[in-house]
């Protein structure tokens, strides 16, 4: 029973280490290659969907924040 527990713990530990290595490698690739900024003509159109029911006391603040957003 003890040897089975050691095998399971060893397997889970090696999987955790492998996953950590993959995450670190992926984050390193993402940080290394900065993307160029797009001009206003090439930016895709955004869509905002608000799910509302009844009177929302913060609706005006929400709409005001949406209007002031910059892509």
């Amino acid at each position: 029973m003890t040897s089975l527990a050691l095998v399971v713990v060893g397997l889970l530990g090696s999987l955790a280490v492998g996953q950590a290595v993959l995450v670190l490698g992926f984050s390193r690739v993402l940080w290394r290659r900065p993307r160029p900024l797009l001009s206003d003509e090439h930016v895709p159109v955004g869509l905002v969907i608000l799910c509302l029911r009844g009177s929302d006391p913060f609706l005006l603040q929400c709409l005001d924040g949406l209007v002031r957003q910059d892509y």
Side-chain angles (χ1 to χ4, degrees):
M1 187 68 169
T2 306
S3 61
L4 178 63
L6 289 175
V7 169
V8 170
V9 168
L11 180 64
L12 289 177
S14 63
L15 287 174
V17 169
Q19 188 70 28
V21 168
L22 289 174
V23 167
L24 289 174
F26 182 70
S27 62
R28 201 170 129 199
V29 168
L30 288 180
W31 283 104
R32 192 179 290 183
R33 299 180 188 168
R35 294 185 180 190
L37 294 177
L38 297 175
S39 63
D40 287 340
E41 303 87 46
H42 298 104
V43 176
V45 177
L47 174 69
V48 176
I49 299 174
L50 296 175
C51 299
L52 302 172
R53 181 176 175 184
S55 96
D56 186 356
F58 301 107
L59 180 60
L60 290 177
Q61 293 172 352
C62 178
L63 294 176
D64 187 44
L66 287 173
V67 170
R68 283 195 261 151
Q69 278 189 352
D70 186 17
Y71 205 99

